[in-house]
């Protein structure tokens, strides 16, 4: 049997964090929640709500259906401007021009 929807969302969020070179702390700030809340959702101790999924998808510039489809579809849909640049490690802020989509 394949992954459950909850597992697909957790895997997709993890893949997006990695592909974008972001930390849970950065994602939490973008969503307006604590890093601990993101960690609980990612560990399975709490679930990602549909509103959370919409917010995560909007943060990464993808359609929520791509997020729900799992890590492969989510990362394939990630815009080039949101992808980790070579040599960039998680936890570093993107330049403001990239964040604004310029």
């Amino acid at each position: 049997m394949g992954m459950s929807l909850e597992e697909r969302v957790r895997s997709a969020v993890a893949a997006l964090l990695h592909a974008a070179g972001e930390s849970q702390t950065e994602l939490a700030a973008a969503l307006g929640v604590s890093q601990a809340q993101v960690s609980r959702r990612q560990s399975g101790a709490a679930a990602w709500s549909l509103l959370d999924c919409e917010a995560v998808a909007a943060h990464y510039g993808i359609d929520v259906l791509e997020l729900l489809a799992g890590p492969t579809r989510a990362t394939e849909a990630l815009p080039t401007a949101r992808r980790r640049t070579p040599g960039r490690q998680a936890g570093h802020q993107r330049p403001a021009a990239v964040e604004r989509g310029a």
Side-chain angles (χ1 to χ4, degrees), residues 2 10 16 24 40-41 47 51 53-54 58 60 79 92 95-96 98:
R10 284 194 305 270
L16 288 166
Q24 286 186 356
R40 283 193 297 275
R41 291 172 183 146
L51 289 175
C53 290
E54 287 179 332
Y60 287 112
H92 289 80
V98 173

Side-chain angles (χ1 to χ4, degrees), residues 17-91:
L17 284 166
H18 178 74
E22 286 187 334
S23 66
Q24 286 186 356
T25 302
E26 290 172 300
L27 177 59
L31 300 178
V33 299
S34 70
Q35 182 277 328
Q37 288 173 300
V38 170
S39 179
R40 283 193 297 275
R41 291 172 183 146
Q42 282 302 95
S43 71
W48 287 101
S49 72
L50 290 177
L51 289 175
D52 293 332
C53 290
E54 287 179 332
V56 168
H59 172 67
Y60 287 112
I62 66 173
D63 188 276
V64 71
L65 294 177
E66 302 293 343
L67 177 71
L68 297 176
T72 302
R73 292 273 299 274
T75 55
E76 287 173 350
L78 186 65
T80 303
R82 293 291 285 125
R83 294 182 183 276
R84 175 193 315 233
T85 55
R88 181 171 179 264
Q89 297 178 356

